[in-house]
Amino acid sequence: MREINLLDSYPRSTRPIAERQAAVPLQREIARKFGYEYFDGDRTQGYGGYRYDGRWVAVARRMIEYYGLRAGNHILDVGCAKGFLLHDFQQVLHGVLVAGLDVSHYGLSNAMDDVKPHLVRGTAERLPFADGSFDLVVSINTIHNLELGSCREAIREMERVSRSHKYLQVDSWLTEEQHQNFLRWQLTAVTYFDPQTWRQVFRDVDYTGDFYWTLTE
Ligand SMILES: C[S@@+](CC[C@H](N)C(=O)[O-])C[C@H]1O[C@@H](n2cnc3c(N)ncnc32)[C@H](O)[C@@H]1O
């Protein structure tokens, strides 16, 4: 288990925190449906337009290099949304096999055509895959959307279906300012901790993979 930021190339987004904060009580319920409004509706309800722009290419490259992935390896993305990261894995590493799971009908039905056949609808705490199916299991900004018990199950599931590497990224903070920004900004997370408490959760469920934090700056 190692704390390492494999999304260090991912661009920082501009966050109109005050605007979002004013809308939060109403918009949380809408956002948590993970439908059109969350992905492609107003910025106060979610992404404000979740469109492919190639930003995952560098992340895919970083993971391929860090984990030494090769053609024929099998990668699962838990909370894959429209499949952008999986698409980029396929672009960067020919012959890689990809699979994705997400709870969102909207995300999956608007997924990129080349990955669509490899995506399934489901929930992170019950992965419909056999033990040891994947060389790399990734989950980015997804499992903090589950209640703690389900969140722990989701981490156990990542461990179960992996035969080798795992990378998990969740909401957290390194400073009190980031903590306060997070509380004002976030819409969908229900399980969130400081890094020390997250690490304890990971140990409690015998997680052996890598992890890092999504910080609200
Ligand atoms: C913040 S988005 C992250 C999407 C993508 N991983 C990324 O980083 O761009 C959160 C994703 O988690 C999905 N999600 C929420 N609850 C889930 C669950 N119980 N099981 C699987 N996916 C879930 C949402 O539909 C959404 O696609």
Side-chain angles (χ1 to χ4, degrees):
M1 189 161 82
R2 181 162 178 223
E3 182 171 328
I4 179 168
N5 182 9
L6 295 182
L7 269 71
D8 45 6
S9 62
Y10 192 84
R12 293 186 179 194
S13 60
T14 325
R15 293 180 158 138
I17 290 178
E19 197 183 316
R20 163 82 61 89
Q21 183 187 18
V24 159
L26 176 65
Q27 309 300 5
R28 277 187 65 95
E29 206 181 316
I30 297 171
R32 280 197 53 82
K33 294 186 198 302
F34 300 107
Y36 162 80
E37 292 83 357
Y38 176 69
F39 288 101
D40 292 319
D42 194 90
R43 184 77 164 128
T44 59
Q45 298 171 336
Y47 281 100
Y50 187 83
R51 298 182 200 95
Y52 180 78
D53 62 4
R55 67 179 59 191
W56 292 102
V57 169
V59 176
R61 283 210 177 97
R62 177 94 160 93
M63 290 185 177
I64 289 163
E65 187 184 14
Y66 185 74
Y67 293 118
L69 300 174
R70 299 183 310 271
N73 282 167
H74 211 154
I75 300 171
L76 171 67
D77 185 1
V78 179
C80 62
K82 297 183 185 178
F84 297 160
L85 175 61
L86 295 174
H87 168 83
D88 287 344
F89 268 120
Q90 291 195 144
Q91 294 297 307
V92 174
L93 182 57
H94 294 289
V96 76
L97 304 166
V98 299
L101 173 136
D102 203 287
V103 80
S104 170
H105 272 301
Y106 179 82
L108 297 176
S109 51
N110 288 278
M112 302 186 83
D113 286 341
D114 63 326
V115 294
K116 228 180 211 177
H118 310 299
L119 309 185
V120 291
R121 183 163 184 268
T123 184
E125 76 266 36
R126 280 189 307 278
L127 299 178
F129 306 106
D131 296 2
S133 299
F134 299 96
D135 300 286
L136 172 64
V137 180
V138 179
S139 186
I140 298 168
N141 295 336
T142 295
I143 62 147
H144 50 220
N145 295 316
L146 282 67
E147 300 288 347
L148 179 57
S150 300
C151 179
R152 289 161 58 100
E153 278 311 306
I155 304 169
R156 282 203 187 94
E157 281 290 86
M158 288 180 68
E159 192 71 36
R160 180 184 67 76
V161 303
S162 157
R163 54 177 166 253
S164 190
H165 308 295
K166 291 149 288 266
Y167 181 80
L168 178 58
Q169 184 146 331
V170 287
D171 279 332
S172 190
W173 47 87
L174 300 176
T175 65
E176 187 49 29
E177 189 186 355
Q178 289 172 355
H179 183 196
Q180 292 307 318
N181 283 345
F182 165 75
L183 295 175
R184 293 169 68 207
W185 174 254
Q186 78 96 7
L187 289 173
T188 60
V190 291
T191 296
Y192 40 84
F193 301 114
D194 58 26
Q196 190 185 346
T197 311
W198 270 124
R199 281 188 216 101
Q200 188 57 51
V201 171
F202 300 157
R203 280 194 291 272
D204 288 348
V205 297
D206 299 320
Y207 179 63
T208 63
D210 302 319
F211 57 89
Y212 201 66
W213 324 116
T214 293
L215 307 170
T216 314
E217 293 174 293

